[in-house]
Amino acid sequence: MVMESLDLEKQQLTKSLTGIQGLDEITKGGLPKGRTTLLSGAAGCGKTVLAMQFIINGATRFDEPGVFMSFEENEKELAENSSSFGIDLQALAVANKISLDYVSFDRSEITESGDYNLDGLFVRLDAAIKSIGAKRVVLDTVEVIFSGLSNAAIIRAELRRLFRWLKDRGITAIVTAEKGPGSFTRYGIEEYASDCVIQLDNVVHDQISNRRLRIIKYRGSSHGTNEYPFLIDEEGFNIMALTSIELNAPAPTRRISTGIKRLDAMLGGQGYYEGSSILLSGTAGTGKTTVSTYAADAACSRGERCLYFAFEESDHQIFRDMRSVGLSLNRWQQKGLLRIEALRPTLLGLEMHLVRIYKQVKEFKPQLVILDPISNLAATGETTEVKIMLTRLLDFLKPQGITVIFTQSATPRQLEQPEMQITSLIDTWITLRDIESNGERNRAINVLKSRGMAHSNQVREYILSDRGFEILDVFTGEDGNLTGSARFAQEDKDAAAKLLGEQKIEQKKRKLEHNRHRMETERIALEAANINSLAEQAKMIAEEVALGDLANTQKSNDARRRGGK
Amino acid sequence: MTRIVSAKNGGAADPAKKTYELCLYIAGASPRSHQAVANVRKLCEDSLSGVCNLKIVDILQQPQAAKDDQIIAVPTLIKKKPMPVRRFIGDMSNKEEILRVLEA
């Protein structure tokens, strides 16, 4: 399979995909097709592994059978080494997808007498290529010929002829060579195989090995020019390729919960920005792991995947610790939403960690990545190296919109001035600290910064209990916010005052009641008195009226008696 | 392991002693190939007459032989018997040297 290069060079250079993780990206499409690439490196750097993968991938994925001509390992050794990567060389050979040819030299048996050439090599290679219709060839490592035969001039001339011969047949080839002092090959063959030169390195630093790959030259094509860390694991080559580190990642806008309601509230009411970087720093035992696992729990509850890299505790420890604060992580692990990778930081170099993380992220595709803690990564490298590593990690994760949480152990002084100077990389920085006052330690959480949102600046007290991570109410006394026993004291005081107040009110209420009662009584009495007097008056009037009537009646009776008749 | 020192009796073979099995590999009909063939034939006739089995293999005609016998440089002359196996590469012009090694 072939990929056209997209650059604006004059010649159209076609490339052959290697199928190796990261290498096709760095080379922008693979190795130059129909040309010879020189792969240089000291013994044990991984040249044979890379070259073999090139052939295997060509045969199995890109429909390009290949010949592997080995000058150091015989067919059996090659098969054994490949099987550790899960590859069955025998089967591929039988299926005519690959052809293995072991060329052996024993200088002690050879006597040179006159001129010769290396036609034997050509004949064998030609036969092998024809037998399977090969499009790819590896010569590993061709410089062995120089130690087998004494006439270097002949050998050089023949190798030059061989590379031209391969080019004439349109074969994409890799030639491996051992790096000499000051040059890429011991015998100077790089002059003839200089369309593309790749160098492998294995530097042991503080007992930890760091493998790196670099493209020295790629004629006719632009390419990544850095040193790229890689590791060789059970799947073969894995290169961490960051080819364009531009600050053009889109700014995320979606907010995700921290898993702790009141912390969400402190973060502008909605929590973290999705795809942002968060640093939880705190002194020992303040609950950083807890806060990060709350975020994991929240992510998994949303159906998102979380990849947790633990550098201090094992996954069992984390599960146990989280159960004690009421978080059950097992269910997420069983559902395949949570993966915990626990590894001692001192086991690998920083770059290896990077490659490992990179590989896991590509495979698991999480939305949230947690590194807990990053503080002891500094033990395996200089602090500037750690910063570089984290920068690269963020450059890799951010464009994919993956949220990252780092936890960091710090001394109280370091909380304000973290050694690693990584806070410029961080979008949200939360500190968890002990506050010492009045002979006791209480814990407080504070959002030091959070880009792009209005966040609380309060230092809020929290407790870790079997009820989980609880941020307590803000308690303001006369002297400001209070925490711990001062808070309790104030709480009691306030309670007492409240009680007193209540009692007073009760008292007043009773008094009021009493008054009203009296008023009522008086009113009734008054009313009664009034009614009585009015009644009296009414009676008197009634009597007068009656008397009047009587008088009138008598008068009229008298009048009748007197004068009527 | 004893071998015939044929120089003494002018190339006459001792029938009780071993025979040399030689195989000369060439690549096609080039001047060098012809030279090598001529040189080796002469060597056999002059110094190893009667005790020399010479086979000539053209690897262009038989490429598998190149792989089987691990031929890289041509011309190559292999003494397969008697042991130990010895290889010579080149046009075989230095006959004295070759003989010395063959008989060593």
Side-chain angles (χ1 to χ4, degrees):
Chain A
M1 195 178 135
V2 145
M3 193 161 131
E4 302 271 332
S5 91
L6 296 172
D7 52 44
L8 308 168
E9 308 274 341
K10 284 166 251 171
Q11 63 240 76
Q12 269 294 311
L13 182 69
T14 41
K15 301 186 182 181
S16 255
L17 285 171
T18 64
I20 292 172
Q21 182 79 285
L23 187 55
D24 289 334
E25 282 124 295
I26 301 170
T27 55
K28 306 200 180 177
L31 301 180
K33 188 168 169 64
R35 307 280 171 87
T36 302
T37 295
L38 181 64
L39 185 57
S40 158
C45 276
K47 303 186 292 294
T48 304
V49 177
L50 195 158
M52 182 59 89
Q53 257 189 281
F54 174 69
I55 294 289
I56 304 275
N57 289 341
T60 56
R61 288 166 56 178
F62 306 120
D63 198 25
E64 289 194 347
V67 176
F68 195 100
M69 191 170 248
S70 169
F71 295 82
E72 281 177 324
E73 291 172 78
N74 63 30
E75 281 103 338
K76 183 154 164 285
E77 284 160 355
L78 288 172
E80 274 168 11
N81 294 341
S82 297
S83 70
S84 66
F85 298 116
I87 293 170
D88 187 351
L89 276 189
Q90 292 280 41
L92 287 171
V94 162
N96 282 339
K97 298 263 178 159
I98 63 169
S99 173
L100 300 176
D101 196 354
Y102 170 53
V103 177
S104 78
F105 273 98
D106 188 354
R107 192 175 183 161
S108 60
E109 332 174 313
I110 299 176
T111 308
E112 294 179 34
S113 170
D115 273 347
Y116 53 87
N117 69 15
L118 300 183
D119 265 340
L121 214 55
F122 287 78
V123 163
R124 286 165 77 165
L125 200 49
D126 192 45
I129 290 172
K130 285 207 175 91
S131 70
I132 59 171
K135 296 274 187 307
R136 301 183 175 200
V137 163
V138 162
L139 302 170
D140 176 40
T141 154
V142 82
E143 288 184 315
V144 170
I145 304 178
F146 286 98
S147 46
L149 303 171
S150 65
N151 196 327
I154 291 183
I155 299 171
R156 260 205 211 96
E158 287 295 87
L159 287 179
R160 192 170 34 191
R161 182 164 76 100
L162 183 62
F163 299 152
R164 214 177 298 133
W165 183 89
L166 287 168
K167 190 171 175 178
D168 289 341
R169 280 155 181 74
I171 302 279
T172 309
I174 292 182
V175 169
T176 66
E178 245 180 71
K179 198 170 174 326
S183 68
F184 297 111
T185 62
R186 277 241 196 89
Y187 296 94
I189 62 171
E190 64 253 43
E191 307 168 32
Y192 320 128
S194 57
D195 281 300
C196 179
V197 180
I198 297 177
Q199 185 180 295
L200 299 182
D201 227 316
N202 190 355
V203 176
V204 179
H205 176 67
D206 279 345
Q207 301 169 357
I208 293 172
S209 81
N210 292 288
R211 294 184 186 275
R212 286 184 293 228
L213 176 148
R214 187 153 84 99
I215 302 191
I216 305 294
K217 177 179 179 185
Y218 198 140
R219 199 185 273 158
S221 167
S222 63
H223 58 89
T225 52
N226 296 331
E227 278 183 332
Y228 297 92
F230 68 87
L231 50 73
I232 301 177
D233 61 17
E234 68 281 351
E235 283 168 22
F237 249 72
N238 239 296
I239 302 168
M240 169 118 206
L242 283 179
T243 43
S244 61
I245 306 177
E246 293 155 18
L247 291 170
N248 63 357
T253 49
R254 188 173 152 233
R255 303 286 277 272
I256 55 175
S257 168
T258 64
I260 302 167
K261 269 222 199 65
R262 285 187 165 183
L263 185 54
D264 287 346
M266 288 171 81
L267 293 167
Q270 299 175 63
Y272 307 126
Y273 271 113
E274 183 181 44
S276 67
S277 53
I278 297 130
L279 176 64
L280 302 170
S281 53
T283 50
T286 42
K288 303 179 288 299
T289 301
T290 307
V291 175
S292 56
T293 48
Y294 264 91
D297 188 62
C300 294
S301 310
R302 291 191 294 270
E304 297 170 359
R305 279 181 300 280
C306 171
L307 189 50
Y308 195 118
F309 290 97
F311 295 108
E312 229 167 44
E313 297 176 79
S314 72
D315 51 351
H316 296 294
Q317 263 179 296
I318 295 174
F319 285 147
R320 180 203 63 194
D321 294 346
M322 290 312 111
R323 267 199 299 278
S324 71
V325 291
L327 275 184
S328 162
L329 298 177
N330 271 318
R331 56 190 171 144
W332 303 130
Q333 199 184 41
Q334 274 155 17
K335 284 198 178 155
L337 291 173
L338 173 66
R339 188 193 278 191
I340 300 188
E341 293 282 333
L343 193 69
R344 282 250 171 264
T346 46
L347 220 57
L348 301 174
L350 284 181
E351 284 157 346
M352 296 307 118
H353 280 297
L354 199 58
V355 181
R356 205 180 127 249
I357 293 171
Y358 175 84
K359 189 181 165 213
Q360 295 274 350
V361 168
K362 269 211 156 182
E363 193 195 308
F364 189 61
K365 299 195 194 354
Q367 276 88 353
L368 172 65
V369 169
I370 299 175
L371 272 75
D372 173 33
I374 55 172
S375 4
N376 43 13
L377 287 176
T380 65
E382 306 299 319
T383 46
T384 39
E385 287 181 358
V386 176
K387 183 174 183 186
I388 291 171
M389 176 211 165
L390 296 177
T391 309
R392 288 176 102 164
L393 183 61
L394 290 173
D395 283 337
F396 166 58
L397 294 173
K398 274 207 167 181
Q400 299 182 60
I402 298 176
T403 315
V404 194
I405 297 179
F406 301 116
T407 72
Q408 183 188 39
S409 270
T411 62
R413 184 185 55 80
Q414 282 172 337
L415 277 181
E416 297 294 346
Q417 290 142 26
E419 275 174 356
M420 289 200 278
Q421 306 301 324
I422 62 165
T423 51
S424 53
L425 306 174
I426 300 295
D427 297 314
T428 298
W429 184 15
I430 298 171
T431 61
L432 302 166
R433 64 181 72 206
D434 291 325
I435 296 187
E436 210 177 294
S437 71
N438 272 350
E440 39 172 56
R441 277 202 134 101
N442 301 299
R443 294 179 176 147
I445 183 170
N446 171 245
V447 178
L448 235 70
K449 80 165 180 182
S450 193
R451 288 184 184 138
M453 64 172 86
H455 64 87
S456 158
N457 63 349
Q458 289 173 331
V459 177
R460 299 280 295 271
E461 189 185 1
Y462 66 89
I463 51 173
L464 288 170
S465 69
D466 52 8
R467 286 202 303 276
F469 190 99
E470 291 179 281
I471 297 182
L472 304 180
D473 289 329
V474 180
F475 214 86
T476 314
E478 294 156 2
D479 307 314
N481 288 347
L482 301 170
T483 60
S485 61
R487 162 208 278 273
F488 295 145
Q490 186 64 34
E491 271 181 345
D492 286 346
K493 204 164 142 202
D494 283 0
K498 189 172 172 202
L499 192 62
L500 196 62
E502 278 170 4
Q503 284 174 345
K504 282 211 170 121
I505 289 175
E506 275 306 310
Q507 217 177 43
K508 291 210 167 119
K509 271 192 188 163
R510 279 200 302 275
K511 205 162 170 208
L512 188 66
E513 200 46 46
H514 189 68
N515 271 355
R516 219 185 301 142
H517 188 74
R518 265 182 46 196
M519 274 170 56
E520 194 60 27
T521 319
E522 285 190 12
R523 184 180 66 85
I524 291 172
L526 214 60
E527 272 185 9
N530 275 350
I531 289 173
N532 275 347
S533 75
L534 283 174
E536 279 289 321
Q537 282 181 10
K539 209 170 155 190
M540 276 170 50
I541 295 172
E543 277 172 3
E544 276 173 33
V545 167
L547 275 175
D549 272 347
L550 195 60
N552 277 347
T553 315
Q554 262 185 347
K555 240 188 192 171
S556 67
N557 279 345
D558 279 346
R560 243 181 319 115
R561 238 183 274 131
R562 252 184 240 128
K565 307 259 187 79
Chain B
M1 243 204 256
T2 53
R3 269 164 222 96
I4 302 169
V5 179
S6 42
K8 264 199 252 163
N9 35 20
D14 186 337
K17 299 298 179 182
K18 301 183 187 336
T19 315
Y20 286 84
E21 283 206 22
L22 303 178
C23 193
L24 177 65
Y25 299 83
I26 55 168
S30 67
R32 197 178 287 143
S33 299
H34 291 310
Q35 194 72 32
V37 171
N39 284 332
V40 174
R41 282 223 170 99
K42 191 151 188 345
L43 183 83
C44 282
E45 283 156 18
D46 290 352
S47 319
L48 306 171
S49 71
V51 292
C52 182
N53 270 339
L54 178 63
K55 210 165 77 161
I56 299 184
V57 175
D58 183 351
I59 60 170
L60 291 188
Q61 308 288 329
Q62 299 174 56
Q64 189 59 32
K67 185 165 178 175
D68 292 339
D69 295 323
Q70 291 286 5
I71 304 300
I72 295 106
V74 284
T76 291
L77 175 69
I78 300 185
K79 168 178 72 109
K80 295 196 174 162
K81 288 217 182 99
M83 295 284 274
V85 173
R86 289 260 184 257
R87 280 179 186 242
F88 305 86
I89 60 177
D91 58 8
M92 311 297 156
S93 46
N94 192 345
K95 289 196 274 295
E96 288 78 31
E97 173 77 16
I98 295 175
L99 199 59
R100 188 182 64 76
V101 175
L102 279 179
E103 294 173 338

